Amino acid sequence: KAGVTQTPRYLIKTRGQQVTLSCSPISGHRSVSWYQQTPGQGLQFLFEYFSETQRNKGNFPGRFSGRQFSNSRSEMNVSTLELGDSALYLCASSLVGRGAFFGQGTRLTVV
Amino acid sequence: GESVGLHLPTLSVQEGDNSIINCAYSNSASDYFIWYKQESGKGPQFIIDIRSNMDKRQGQRVTVLLNKTVKHLSLQIAATQPGDSAVYFCAEEGGNEKLTFGTGTRLTIIP
């Protein structure tokens, strides 16, 4: 069974631009969560989607948004990029209550 | 200003010895806990989980212990190998699919 797939693996963007990251969960998993990982803040929860609905949201500004499609694939978008948005963005999928499995992440660098 | 990185606790263990990684969690309502291993450049890898109705769970070479009284979690790795070198995170979940991660411990296996 294929794992969680995130694309792209690496991105370089300029301040002020926007970016869209993609995540394909493990087949059968309907919950998709997004996390930001930085050396300064560790792993921080962004949001979680289940059946195309956002169920949980972390403490990030409105520039961070996401969505989930009917096939459970998810995208997250960051608008008006700032230098501090440089991070590893991780997607995790789960069967409800059975643990989250992570993808390899997208390394975003904002210059 | 200068950003301050998280100070990761470190643990160095001789190859073949056992290691114990500790974690204090914050939410007494958390009922599900997971240990993850993260190698450089990769996403967190699920190692073992435990529910709050248990105090011990064993996997292959790994054991997780849960002490709800003092909100403490530990991961024991038996007969450590060079491939065990990584950062280990504990995560807690309060029933809403949102994981809250600890800061992590860097484990180094000395050949």
Side-chain angles (χ1 to χ4, degrees):
Chain A
K1 187 184 260 191
V4 179
T5 304
Q6 291 188 247
T7 56
R9 288 294 310 277
Y10 303 94
L11 265 179
I12 299 177
K13 290 286 189 178
T14 305
R15 273 181 299 176
Q17 287 186 312
Q18 74 163 12
V19 67
T20 299
L21 312 181
S22 180
C23 172
S24 293
I26 293 171
S27 177
H29 286 195
R30 294 167 63 191
S31 171
V32 175
S33 300
W34 289 89
Y35 293 81
Q36 181 196 65
Q37 187 175 30
T38 62
Q41 299 296 322
L43 274 154
Q44 302 282 309
F45 173 79
L46 280 156
F47 28 65
E48 184 248 347
Y49 288 87
F50 182 83
S51 292
E52 302 178 65
T53 301
Q54 185 183 90
R55 290 199 304 187
N56 293 296
K57 190 176 189 303
N59 297 321
F60 279 81
R63 299 185 298 107
F64 292 81
S65 63
R67 59 178 175 168
Q68 187 180 34
F69 302 95
S70 58
N71 61 358
S72 294
R73 192 177 70 83
S74 178
E75 291 181 345
M76 69 163 281
N77 185 277
V78 188
S79 63
T80 320
L81 284 165
E82 301 176 358
L83 295 178
D85 297 333
S86 294
L88 180 67
Y89 289 88
L90 292 158
C91 168
S93 77
S94 66
L95 284 169
V96 175
R98 299 283 296 272
F101 295 84
F102 284 83
Q104 297 284 53
T106 295
R107 171 74 62 187
L108 172 65
T109 303
V110 182
V111 298
Chain B
E2 181 182 3
S3 64
V4 179
L6 287 174
H7 173 66
L8 274 187
T10 58
L11 177 64
S12 296
V13 174
Q14 204 74 36
E15 182 179 354
D17 287 352
N18 299 333
S19 67
I20 300 176
I21 300 170
N22 296 301
C23 176
Y25 64 93
S26 56
N27 187 355
S28 56
S30 293
D31 58 3
Y32 181 59
F33 305 87
I34 307 173
W35 278 100
Y36 287 94
K37 171 187 180 183
Q38 188 174 25
E39 298 173 275
S40 181
K42 296 184 178 181
Q45 176 188 353
F46 184 106
I47 301 174
I48 191 168
D49 60 358
I50 189 168
R51 298 205 175 274
S52 60
N53 60 352
M54 303 172 70
D55 52 22
K56 179 179 180 179
R57 188 156 188 243
Q58 289 184 285
Q60 188 176 16
R61 285 200 306 118
V62 294
T63 300
V64 56
L65 299 177
L66 175 63
N67 185 330
K68 294 180 288 294
T69 303
V70 295
K71 293 191 286 187
H72 183 269
L73 202 63
S74 68
L75 176 71
Q76 301 176 1
I77 305 174
T80 53
Q81 304 167 357
D84 294 331
S85 292
V87 177
Y88 290 81
F89 294 94
C90 67
E92 59 181 299
E93 185 194 288
N96 58 0
E97 306 299 312
K98 172 187 171 184
L99 290 172
T100 301
F101 284 84
T103 54
T105 295
R106 184 177 301 282
L107 176 65
T108 301
I109 307 302
I110 305 165

